[in-house]
């Protein structure tokens, strides 16, 4: 099955700085890579995703990059704001044809005002 | 924006008791999932359900777990004889049929506490 590694586990940045979170995956057949934001006690919410036929995708201050050769993908948040503080999870399908997502262990992002 | 609805939001049960967690997926979605998250840990897949049958299940989803779609709107997770280690947040999710990754949406969760 898929193995997803996520780094760092915690990240503190000053407001206005950029934050980068990285994930690696093991199954080269994986073709969908979402990022979820989870605030304390709440549901994981999809913030951006990327498919394997695309190398980069942007949505305002958030971007995701994918390197299929190296089997890693990254979340980039620019101009961070205090409300970006949360736990961020990457995920990948557990193999071709799988319906399940395998999640990384999460990154707790703290944006310091 | 359509939502996945879960009830109850919090359930406390005694060890050995049966619990049923309920979910109402988004109405035009045909793929349904249960995940769990032990406090402070990552989200873990339990089971997926499509066309009235289990599509995949993880090794966590053992014989004490079962899922059912009793009518056209509800999707339930039953834990037959709860253990202390079943204490976790349980999330239901659903996605569309044409592209199972499209609209993959999580519910607000049920916090299960086994005492």
């Amino acid at each position: 099955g898929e193995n997803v590694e996520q780094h760092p586990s915690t990240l503190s940045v000053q407001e206005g700085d950029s934050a980068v979170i990285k994930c690696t995956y093991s199954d080269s057949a994986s073709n969908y890579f979402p990022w979820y934001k989870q605030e304390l006690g709440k549901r994981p919410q999809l913030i951006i995703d990327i498919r394997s036929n695309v190398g980069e995708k942007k949505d305002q201050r958030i971007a995701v990059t994918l390197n299929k050769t190296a089997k890693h993908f990254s979340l980039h948040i620019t101009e961070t704001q205090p409300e970006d503080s949360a736990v961020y999870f990457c995920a990948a399908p557990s193999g071709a044809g799988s319906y399940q997502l395998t999640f990384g262990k999460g990154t707790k992002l703290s944006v310091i005002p | 924006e359509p939502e996945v609805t879960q009830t109850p939001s919090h359930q406390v049960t005694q060890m050995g008791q049966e619990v049923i967690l309920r979910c109402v997926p988004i109405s035009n979605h045909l793929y349904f999932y249960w995940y769990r998250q032990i406090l402070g840990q990552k989200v873990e897949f339990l089971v997926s359900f499509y066309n009235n049958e289990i599509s995949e299940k993880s090794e966590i989803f053992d014989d004490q777990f079962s899922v059912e779609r009793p009518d056209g709107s509800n999707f339930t997770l039953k834990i037959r004889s709860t253990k202390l280690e079943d204490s976790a947040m349980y999330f239901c999710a659903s996605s569309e049929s044409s592209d199972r990754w499209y609209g993959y949406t999580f519910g607000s969760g049920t916090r299960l506490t086994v005492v």
Side-chain angles (χ1 to χ4, degrees), chain B residues 71-90:
Chain B
D71 54 42
S73 59
N74 290 285
F75 179 51
T76 61
L77 174 70
K78 182 193 287 187
I79 309 175
R80 267 183 263 289
S81 178
T82 50
K83 304 171 190 167
L84 294 176
E85 53 265 37
D86 294 328
S87 295
M89 194 77 157
Y90 288 81

Side-chain angles (χ1 to χ4, degrees), chain A residues 4 31-32 36 38 41-44 46 49 51 89 93-106, chain B residues 3-4 31 33 35 37 41-43 45 48 50 55-56 89 91 99-102 104-108 111:
Chain A
V4 177
N31 57 5
Y32 174 72
Y36 288 87
Q38 188 178 34
K42 297 196 175 177
R43 76 184 82 189
L46 179 70
D49 57 14
R51 309 253 175 171
F89 291 96
S94 298
S98 173
Y99 295 86
Q100 63 174 287
L101 288 173
T102 297
F103 282 75
K105 290 186 177 180
Chain B
E3 287 189 349
V4 175
Y31 289 94
Y33 315 87
Y35 286 79
Q37 186 178 32
Q41 297 187 22
K42 67 177 179 179
V43 179
F45 172 81
S48 62
Y50 173 70
S55 306
E56 281 180 290
M89 194 77 157
F91 292 105
D99 173 351
R100 62 177 173 268
W101 301 123
Y102 188 76
Y104 205 112
T105 304
F106 284 83
S108 54
R111 180 168 297 285

Side-chain angles (χ1 to χ4, degrees), chain B residues 44-85:
Chain B
E44 299 175 292
F45 172 81
L46 293 177
V47 66
S48 62
F49 191 87
Y50 173 70
N51 202 24
N52 284 319
E53 60 183 25
I54 291 174
S55 306
E56 281 180 290
K57 58 183 181 179
S58 71
E59 53 195 32
I60 302 170
F61 194 87
D62 61 22
D63 291 345
Q64 68 163 341
F65 291 93
S66 62
V67 288
E68 193 177 35
R69 187 153 163 84
D71 54 42
S73 59
N74 290 285
F75 179 51
T76 61
L77 174 70
K78 182 193 287 187
I79 309 175
R80 267 183 263 289
S81 178
T82 50
K83 304 171 190 167
L84 294 176
E85 53 265 37

